[in-house]
Amino acid sequence: MVNEYRDASGKRLVDYPRPSVAVDTAVLTVPPGGPLSVVQVRDAEAGDWRLPGTFVHEGERLAAAVLRSLSEKAGVAGLAPTQLHVFDEPSRDSRGWVLSVAHLDVVPFAALAPGLERAGAQLVPVDDATGMVHGHDDILAFAVARLRTTYAGAPDPHGLLAQPFTISELRAVHEAVLGERLLPDSFRRAMVPMLVDTGERAASGPGKPAARYRRV
């Protein structure tokens, strides 16, 4: 018979109180001509809007729980969320002691729109997505800060913009993500060395046709 594990104080694992574990995901995108936005789902019982999330089932891996919640609650599949941060403040969730393993995914709008409509989910500008339950405001703020850090130094690293694109189109996406206006000349000088000129030119618009680029 295998002896039951006990630690140095003689306690078994089951003798320690354990929190519930949840996964919550900030799915961010930029709608055409719009600001940085986040996916929200409506809770069937409370009726409020929040980030898609769920409690982790027994024997379930975190990644599987994330994909399950996104499919069942937001109507989206085929995403590749990454772990963002563990939110472990004991009083963060009004339901009790709940650890949230927060995740982030950044997805082109075209990959989200059909599923969101079918599931009754919605896209909300990140500046308007406030007052969410279970500490979701903190999760969203952390996710947005992380995303903005990546967009400060690289051209559209998450591929929100379809390729090829002009520098003006690229700048518009960066402005949406960063939430601020960018100087055109400074932006061009910073980004062009990290892009490949396709040799194509934009077919419309006033003035000289703009060059089209791809990410390296």
Side-chain angles (χ1 to χ4, degrees):
M1 179 178 179
V2 178
N3 292 329
E4 185 176 28
Y5 169 80
R6 291 180 183 272
D7 65 13
S9 65
K11 290 185 176 181
R12 304 166 299 166
L13 293 180
V14 294
D15 293 329
Y16 288 95
R18 287 173 286 179
S20 298
V21 178
V23 290
D24 299 297
T25 306
V27 181
L28 302 176
T29 192
V30 174
L36 180 65
S37 300
V38 64
V39 172
Q40 286 186 326
V41 297
R42 191 177 183 90
D43 184 78
E45 296 182 2
D48 63 289
W49 291 93
R50 56 184 71 176
L51 301 180
T54 188
F55 285 104
V56 179
H57 293 173
E58 184 175 358
E60 186 177 36
R61 303 189 69 170
L62 293 173
V66 170
L67 295 179
R68 173 171 58 81
S69 70
L70 292 175
S71 175
E72 294 177 356
K73 297 185 177 184
V76 293
L79 305 187
T82 57
Q83 283 192 30
L84 178 67
H85 186 70
V86 176
F87 289 81
D88 61 355
E89 168 59 45
S91 61
R92 56 170 295 278
D93 195 314
S94 61
R95 297 169 297 185
W97 187 17
V98 180
L99 299 183
S100 175
V101 184
H103 288 67
L104 168 66
D105 207 356
V106 186
V107 187
F109 174 77
L112 287 177
L116 295 181
E117 184 175 352
R118 289 193 299 269
Q122 67 178 10
L123 275 178
V124 178
V126 295
D127 290 342
D128 297 335
T130 59
M132 293 184 287
V133 296
H134 311 323
H136 286 191
D137 285 13
D138 294 334
I139 294 173
L140 177 58
F142 196 100
V144 169
R146 175 70 59 83
L147 178 63
R148 285 175 172 167
T149 296
T150 65
Y151 270 73
D156 190 22
H158 286 278
L160 290 171
L161 184 62
Q163 302 186 92
F165 47 75
T166 66
I167 294 296
S168 294
E169 291 168 340
L170 180 64
R171 188 179 76 252
V173 167
H174 277 247
E175 289 178 338
V177 170
L178 297 174
E180 62 183 29
R181 300 288 293 176
L182 299 172
L183 296 175
D185 290 343
S186 298
F187 181 80
R188 172 181 288 275
R189 286 195 299 270
M191 294 295 146
V192 166
M194 295 180 280
L195 299 171
V196 175
D197 190 335
T198 65
E200 302 174 23
R201 295 293 181 267
S204 60
K208 182 180 177 181
R212 290 189 178 274
Y213 296 87
R214 290 184 177 274
R215 293 178 292 275
V216 176

